[in-house]
Amino acid sequence: MRVVVVGATGHIGTSLVPRLVGAGHEVLALSRGTREPYAAHPAWERVERVVVDREAEDAAGTFGERIAALGADAVVDLVCFTPASARQLVEALRPRGTFLLHCGTIWVHGPAAASPLREDDPREPFGEYGTQKAAIEELLLAETRGGGLPTTVLHPGHISGAGWPVITPLGNLDPDVWRRLATGRELLVPGLGLETLHHVHADDVAQGFELALAAPRAAAGESFHVVSERALTVRGFARAAAGWFGREADLRPVSWEEFRAAAGEHADASWEHLSRSHSASTRKAREVLGYRPRRTSLQAAREAVDDLVARGRLDLG
């Protein structure tokens, strides 16, 4: 199969492209050309690299036709963030019947009303990212179920792995959270710390895309959660992370007002993650695609932290 991967050198693409090459696919890797994949792999020597400025071509109305001209059997779109961008791609690919796979997010659900979340649960998304992704999913699945272009949407959780910062137990990217846990210092926790975070290793997300590509008839017109086996509570995550360093977590529950005053610029990110309190079910992906995440949330997060320390990008004191 000839497969175009849009956003190929990012978090998911770094793992997905070698998987597709290993499975025998002909891969065209599209990116802005501003960085290499997060991890080197010999498979990249067998990939056709294409430099494209998605934002500029979307604005010019040329991106969809640019992708269609590549003559792919399938397109994996990892960097689409607006319905208008998705619609342009759908309209260009529809005459060819190209299989389009889109990367969504579990944030399409908004605040969780039940746990674990299922793909067909009622949704109340909020914030630009979640609402836009929900609108894209609605557009794509309606297209397929109406007899148009075959599409599939995969919803990852908090993507983790070596090479980039990982969401902390407080739902933000503040490196001081890891430092406090590693050194046994007090960590302020908003509320009771029972909100949940659902991480997933980037390679497990890539696994989901590879499986969907291999089963287009079963996957078309459907969406799937691709997350780790289980979500973590704030307290459970923090205690486990402190244990990596032989420490016990010193957690002090505080009000959101006190937390905002202490966390500063990181407080909004914490609210965005913890107010949703997501824990997503993988049952559908398991039964339909055969999805089996290889890493737990803790394993995915620890790999990221260990890598940041090894590269000198995280000082744990």
Side-chain angles (χ1 to χ4, degrees), residues 122-185:
R123 298 176 179 178
E124 296 181 8
F126 66 90
E128 182 178 6
Y129 183 59
T131 55
Q132 294 279 69
K133 283 292 191 179
I136 292 170
E137 178 186 8
E138 182 178 356
L139 181 156
L140 294 180
L141 300 190
E143 166 76 16
T144 302
R145 293 168 183 173
L149 189 74
T151 67
T152 296
V153 180
L154 276 72
H155 294 305
H158 312 313
I159 302 172
S160 308
W164 62 92
V166 59
I167 294 295
T168 73
L170 295 187
N172 59 33
L173 294 175
D174 184 0
D176 191 53
V177 174
W178 300 119
R179 280 193 289 269
R180 289 180 175 275
L181 293 172
T183 57
R185 294 158 61 197

Side-chain angles (χ1 to χ4, degrees), residues 18-257:
R19 277 180 168 270
L20 297 181
V21 172
H25 296 292
E26 176 188 358
V27 180
L28 287 78
L30 274 65
S31 70
R32 290 175 298 176
T34 57
R35 69 180 176 203
E36 288 298 302
Y38 285 96
H41 194 285
W44 287 92
E45 298 177 4
R46 299 162 56 190
V47 170
E48 180 180 344
R49 303 282 288 271
V50 180
V51 176
V52 59
D53 186 334
R54 170 71 172 276
E55 185 176 354
E57 296 208 17
D58 265 347
T62 60
F63 183 75
E65 292 302 330
R66 169 81 173 270
I67 301 304
L70 296 174
D73 301 300
V75 172
V76 178
D77 192 353
L78 303 176
V79 289
C80 178
F81 303 108
T82 68
S85 182
R87 186 176 298 108
Q88 182 183 149
L89 193 54
V90 166
E91 291 175 354
L93 296 178
R94 188 184 293 126
R96 291 186 55 88
T98 305
F99 185 21
L100 174 61
L101 296 91
H102 172 82
C103 183
T105 171
I106 58 174
W107 280 24
V108 297
H109 287 283
S115 186
L117 289 163
R118 297 179 300 199
E119 288 84 351
D120 59 354
D121 280 344
R123 298 176 179 178
E124 296 181 8
F126 66 90
E128 182 178 6
Y129 183 59
T131 55
Q132 294 279 69
K133 283 292 191 179
I136 292 170
E137 178 186 8
E138 182 178 356
L139 181 156
L140 294 180
L141 300 190
E143 166 76 16
T144 302
R145 293 168 183 173
L149 189 74
T151 67
T152 296
V153 180
L154 276 72
H155 294 305
H158 312 313
I159 302 172
S160 308
W164 62 92
V166 59
I167 294 295
T168 73
L170 295 187
N172 59 33
L173 294 175
D174 184 0
D176 191 53
V177 174
W178 300 119
R179 280 193 289 269
R180 289 180 175 275
L181 293 172
T183 57
R185 294 158 61 197
E186 182 180 77
L187 183 67
L188 302 185
V189 175
L192 296 176
L194 298 180
E195 294 86 357
T196 52
L197 296 161
H198 213 156
H199 289 62
V200 61
H201 194 279
D203 185 61
D204 284 327
V205 182
Q207 176 200 158
F209 278 98
E210 182 184 7
L211 290 168
L213 272 171
R217 290 187 178 181
E222 303 292 340
S223 64
F224 302 92
H225 294 148
V226 281
V227 290
S228 69
E229 179 67 23
R230 300 173 72 189
L232 296 167
T233 66
V234 170
R235 297 180 67 87
F237 190 3
R239 287 171 172 169
W244 300 342
F245 310 102
R247 303 283 186 174
E248 290 189 8
D250 182 6
L251 308 178
R252 179 161 69 91
V254 297
S255 67
W256 269 99
E257 289 74 14

